Amino acid sequence: MRSNTERNKSGALEAELSVPAGKTSRQSLWKRFAQQWEFQLMILPAIAFLLIFNYAPMWGILMSFQEYNLFKGFWESPWVGFDHFRMFFDSPEFWNIMRNTFAISFLKLLIGFPAPILLALMLNEVGHLFFKRVVQTITYIPHFISWVVVSGLVFSMLAVDNGAVNETLQRFNLIEQPINWMSIPEYFWGILVTVNVWKEIGFGSIVYLAAIVGIDPSLYESASIDGASKLQQIFKITIPCIAPVIVIFLILNIGNLLNAGFEDVFVLTRNLNNGILMSVAVTIDTYVYQMGIINQRFSYATAAGLFKSMLSIILLIAANGIARRLGRTSLW
Amino acid sequence: MKLTMGDKIMQVILYIILAFLAFITFYPFWNSLVLSFNTGSDTSLGGVTFWPRDFTLENYQIVFKEKKIYQAYFITILRTVIGTAMAMFFTSLFAYALSKKGIVFKKFYMIFAVFTMFFNGGLIPYFIVVYHLNLYNTFAFLILHGMISVYNMIIFRTFFMGLPDGLEESAKIDGCTNFGVFFRIVLPISGPVFATLSLFTAVFLWNDWFFPAVFINDQNLIPLQTMLVQIINEGTTATLMANLNSYAQSMVQNSVTVRSIQMATMMVATLPILFIYPFLQRFFVKGVLVGSLKE
């Protein structure tokens, strides 16, 4: 009874104080706007910030159709149409860049995406609570460490002289001579993906663990009465129950597929000075950085970057479409 | 519930896999810590694994003798504290207003914000904008970069929408303005979500090395991580010695190597986060869950 009257009261208050029920005519819109000036003021800085730091650069995309000159500025620079795109497609590195970008991205998705799910499934089966907590605490750590430090750890672990990996392999007589891991192109993708999984597996598992905790326990009880083994329960109950979460994250991951490969590639190849790795390590993002920031070919680099954004959006739309066709879950 | 033989074997394998995973996650940190406490000349003989064999504080002494480190630390802390405070302030205000019913243009604001999550101009146009705003090579850029995170805004908003209406209404009856309600009523009860998002923002600002590397030229404004990338990635001793003169001098007298210095510097840049993080773990696990709620 009491809560009911309270709600009525607050409902009335709300109508009176902040949200007058108005018509959508222009005058009452601005009247309402003026009445909520405090809230509109709260919104203002954020909108201004987004406008300057997110939308202004979008406008700058147009310069990929120009021969942009930093000193002439946007209005004075001459238009050149699709020249930069053509140049990018015709450049000798183009197919190499595309191969590396897609290979690295898809390898990360293929291995980096299921890994946290697998970890969550395993952690969920652990009965020993203290052990579970220790494993979680430790595996979350790398997420909070910068890629710079991670690259330092990787270089140290894989060092030719006294790197822990080489020493261990030698101790178990698996290799004769220390391997110079960071200078062999064939190993680079593997190292990159392994380090990525190492860094994010624990943190990525949080969401899936939460989804698993939310599953109705009576499902497991009735399954075990029917004689289902633990493994059968995982495949028949756990995985189908967390499938919607998996699909949402998969779509988001695919949309971000081509974005997710810059910092790691960059720190792991920077200043290695051997050039050998570049054939397998140059991606659209590192190329944009090289051409734009180092060589100051602003328009050309922007064209390459825009090409990547377009590919990302196509991937996102495609992934969402496929998910919607296959099942009930989709982003929109 | 009775465990079958197969289940028991599975449990044993599970514990072994998880223990191994925890070990390989933890070991690189431990090994670097050990190497940072070992004399460089002894490390180069090989075989230093779990404990320092020739314990020394030399590496740290040299790192802390370098004035540039203090400057970089100062910049990093300043950036992290001010940047996090400002980002939290403006993002939470934005989210709070958007959590209210009947806000004019609300839908437009939401679409306007969310669109930036999926599409951006890319590095070069961003560079041009920053350049023309005269933010290139300024401390202001370090704070302004990434100040409004739309992702954080959505988490805040989800949280604020879950607050009971009555709380705020009663404050208004007592004569509070909308700002007053936010600062005196909403802020104090939003501790966990503020803690989580502050942690994420602070970690981002502490760890970010790339944007300072591109947008900051002045060595006095370089944060710790950006300096670290210079130290770690300069493969050759010569460059390092040229860069850091006081290191070079002491290296002649001491048994210090480039690698032992790198390890010590890395630890100096990482330990603050490693120490703070276990205390905040409870919060951020909750925070991630709020964020993953469907919006």
Side-chain angles (χ1 to χ4, degrees), chain A residues 36 38 40 49 55 57-58 68 125 128 137 140 144 146 148 153 155-156 162 167 198 210 263 266-267 271, chain B residues 11 15 24-25 32 44 46-47 102 104 109 112 119 125 128 132 144 178 207 209 225 233 259 277 281 289:
Chain A
Q36 359 172 295
E38 284 167 306
Q40 296 291 345
F49 186 89
Y55 281 90
M58 287 182 204
Y68 184 82
E125 295 301 318
H128 200 288
T137 304
Y140 294 165
F144 293 94
S146 78
V148 181
L153 296 175
F155 289 139
S156 176
N162 319 313
E167 284 199 0
W198 177 86
E263 250 198 306
F266 199 78
V267 290
N271 288 347
Chain B
Q11 281 277 313
Y15 277 80
I24 58 170
T25 307
S32 298
S44 55
V104 179
Y109 293 141
F112 188 82
F119 194 75
I128 306 281
H132 283 304
L144 290 175
N178 284 315
N207 281 340
W209 61 274
Q225 302 283 345
N233 284 340
R259 189 167 173 206
Y277 141 87
Q281 192 185 341
L289 299 186

Side-chain angles (χ1 to χ4, degrees), chain B residues 10 47 53 57 66 87 98 128 133 148 155 208 226 231 265-266 275 286 292:
Chain B
M10 206 177 91
R53 194 167 51 199
L57 291 173
E66 178 61 51
L98 288 183
I128 306 281
L133 288 172
I148 298 294
I155 296 178
D208 175 38
T226 312
I231 296 179
T265 322
M266 257 162 57
F275 280 128
K286 247 184 240 157
S292 64

Side-chain angles (χ1 to χ4, degrees), chain A residues 204-311:
Chain A
S205 70
I206 295 179
V207 176
Y208 301 111
L209 266 174
I212 292 173
V213 171
I215 297 173
D216 185 359
S218 64
L219 288 174
Y220 292 105
E221 276 162 34
S222 52
S224 67
I225 290 168
D226 290 345
S229 74
K230 280 271 177 198
L231 215 55
Q232 281 172 319
Q233 290 178 27
I234 290 173
F235 281 106
K236 297 274 159 62
I237 300 172
T238 312
I239 293 179
C241 282
I242 63 171
V245 181
I246 295 178
V247 173
I248 291 283
F249 274 82
L250 187 62
I251 299 171
L252 285 174
N253 261 315
I254 292 174
N256 250 329
L257 192 66
L258 302 180
N259 285 329
F262 180 64
E263 250 198 306
D264 48 352
V265 178
F266 199 78
V267 290
L268 286 176
T269 55
R270 200 165 181 236
N271 288 347
L272 281 179
N273 289 331
N274 53 25
I276 309 166
L277 278 186
M278 281 309 138
S279 63
V280 288
V282 62
T283 62
I284 300 181
D285 280 326
T286 58
Y287 188 70
V288 167
Y289 173 81
Q290 175 68 32
M291 286 299 141
I293 302 293
I294 306 290
N295 299 358
Q296 309 255 315
R297 293 175 63 187
F298 294 125
S299 290
Y300 180 70
T302 308
L306 180 59
F307 178 64
K308 192 203 72 171
S309 295
M310 290 298 139
L311 285 181

